[in-house]
């Protein structure tokens, strides 16, 4: 299913969740400093770069495109941290990847169009900054240490070997799926 919005097409999966992708952008492979961007709605607040997937777009391609547009960075796409579902007021299903930044643009699409800014944070500090207004984004960083090792294969192929292996659900936290190296249809969701 698709919904059209000015300059944007929203895509939904078969369960009615908005299809989204995001990246935790790190300064290096130590993953101790993460790049956050200012919110377009609340410029004094920070968020993890990410957004809606376009029709026929794979999760990893959407994640790379979104960080390029929102944060003005390119880099090496890493592992899939998980798929986060937020069920309260808006049903989102977000594929969250890691990315090691290799290039930072001086001017980028969202900096020029909407004045978006970016800033490096230590992971603990980023969790504190995100917790008050974007607790789901803070949860991405909390899950950093509980992702699969070795890194998961690409999530952009129907036979990629990822499977849901762990779910966390309660009234206040997002549903979370950890990737695994056993066979399944995770990428087809």
């Amino acid at each position: 299913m698709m919904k059209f919005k000015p300059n944007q097409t929203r895509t939904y999966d078969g369960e009615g969740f908005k299809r989204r992708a995001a990246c935790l952008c790190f300064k290096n492979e130590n993953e101790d400093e993460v790049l956050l961007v200012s919110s377009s709605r609340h410029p004094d607040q920070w968020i993890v770069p990410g957004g809606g997937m376009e029709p026929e777009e794979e999760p990893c391609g959407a994640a790379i495109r979104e960080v390029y547009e929102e944060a003005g960075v390119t880099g090496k796409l890493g592992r899939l941290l998980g798929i986060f579902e937020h069920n309260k007021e808006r049903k989102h299903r977000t594929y969250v990847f890691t990315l090691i930044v290799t290039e930072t643009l001086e001017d980028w699409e969202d900096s020029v169009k909407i004045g978006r800014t970016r800033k490096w944070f230590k992971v603990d500090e980023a969790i504190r900054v995100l917790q008050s207004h974007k607790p789901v984004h803070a949860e991405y960083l909390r899950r950093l240490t509980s992702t699969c090792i070795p890194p998961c294969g690409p999530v952009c192929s129907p036979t990629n070997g990822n499977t849901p292996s762990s779910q966390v659900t309660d009234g206040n936290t997002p549903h979370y799926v950890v990737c695994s190296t056993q066979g399944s249809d995770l990428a087809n969701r």
Side-chain angles (χ1 to χ4, degrees), residues 13-85:
D13 65 16
E15 298 176 66
F17 284 85
K18 182 178 177 187
R19 298 176 68 227
R20 300 184 77 253
C23 281
L24 293 177
C25 301
F26 294 103
K27 200 175 251 190
N28 56 48
E29 291 177 0
N30 294 334
E31 296 182 349
D32 54 358
E33 287 186 79
V34 64
L35 188 68
L36 300 181
V37 296
S38 59
S39 167
S40 60
R41 290 190 183 117
H42 306 284
D44 60 330
Q45 297 177 350
W46 299 99
I47 61 171
V48 171
M53 292 169 56
E54 295 177 357
E56 308 301 318
E57 191 173 34
E58 299 283 353
C60 58
I64 291 168
R65 178 184 51 77
E66 285 292 337
V67 299
Y68 183 77
E69 291 171 2
E70 291 191 1
V73 298
T74 61
K76 179 182 172 193
L77 190 67
R79 69 193 180 282
L80 172 67
L81 285 175
I83 303 168
F84 295 77
E85 294 178 358

Side-chain angles (χ1 to χ4, degrees):
M1 175 169 65
M2 290 186 276
K3 285 187 184 176
F4 295 97
K5 190 178 174 186
N7 301 323
Q8 180 184 0
T9 302
R10 293 181 175 176
T11 59
Y12 295 81
D13 65 16
E15 298 176 66
F17 284 85
K18 182 178 177 187
R19 298 176 68 227
R20 300 184 77 253
C23 281
L24 293 177
C25 301
F26 294 103
K27 200 175 251 190
N28 56 48
E29 291 177 0
N30 294 334
E31 296 182 349
D32 54 358
E33 287 186 79
V34 64
L35 188 68
L36 300 181
V37 296
S38 59
S39 167
S40 60
R41 290 190 183 117
H42 306 284
D44 60 330
Q45 297 177 350
W46 299 99
I47 61 171
V48 171
M53 292 169 56
E54 295 177 357
E56 308 301 318
E57 191 173 34
E58 299 283 353
C60 58
I64 291 168
R65 178 184 51 77
E66 285 292 337
V67 299
Y68 183 77
E69 291 171 2
E70 291 191 1
V73 298
T74 61
K76 179 182 172 193
L77 190 67
R79 69 193 180 282
L80 172 67
L81 285 175
I83 303 168
F84 295 77
E85 294 178 358
H86 190 247
N87 297 312
K88 295 278 185 191
E89 61 284 344
R90 293 183 271 164
K91 290 173 67 171
H92 291 170
R93 184 170 280 149
T94 306
Y95 291 75
V96 180
F97 296 87
T98 61
L99 182 126
I100 305 301
V101 174
T102 58
E103 181 183 10
T104 305
L105 304 174
E106 286 296 316
D107 295 307
W108 66 97
E109 185 174 335
D110 279 8
S111 73
V112 172
K113 286 184 177 178
I114 62 172
R116 194 183 298 267
T117 59
R118 63 184 172 220
K119 181 179 174 184
W120 290 102
F121 290 86
K122 293 288 187 188
V123 170
D124 289 344
E125 181 186 3
I127 291 170
R128 282 192 301 276
V129 165
L130 294 168
Q131 187 57 49
S132 64
H133 65 281
K134 283 289 187 182
V136 174
H137 290 200
E139 188 66 20
Y140 302 164
L141 287 163
R142 280 193 201 91
R143 297 293 178 178
L144 199 58
T145 58
S146 57
T147 58
C148 58
I149 307 235
C152 298
V155 75
C156 296
S157 160
T159 57
N160 64 17
N162 291 325
T163 184
S165 65
S166 172
Q167 298 179 352
V168 176
T169 52
D170 70 27
N172 299 321
T173 60
H175 171 75
Y176 173 73
V177 181
V178 176
C179 58
S180 161
T181 55
Q182 300 167 9
S184 129
D185 67 343
L186 181 63
N188 296 324
R189 290 184 133 198

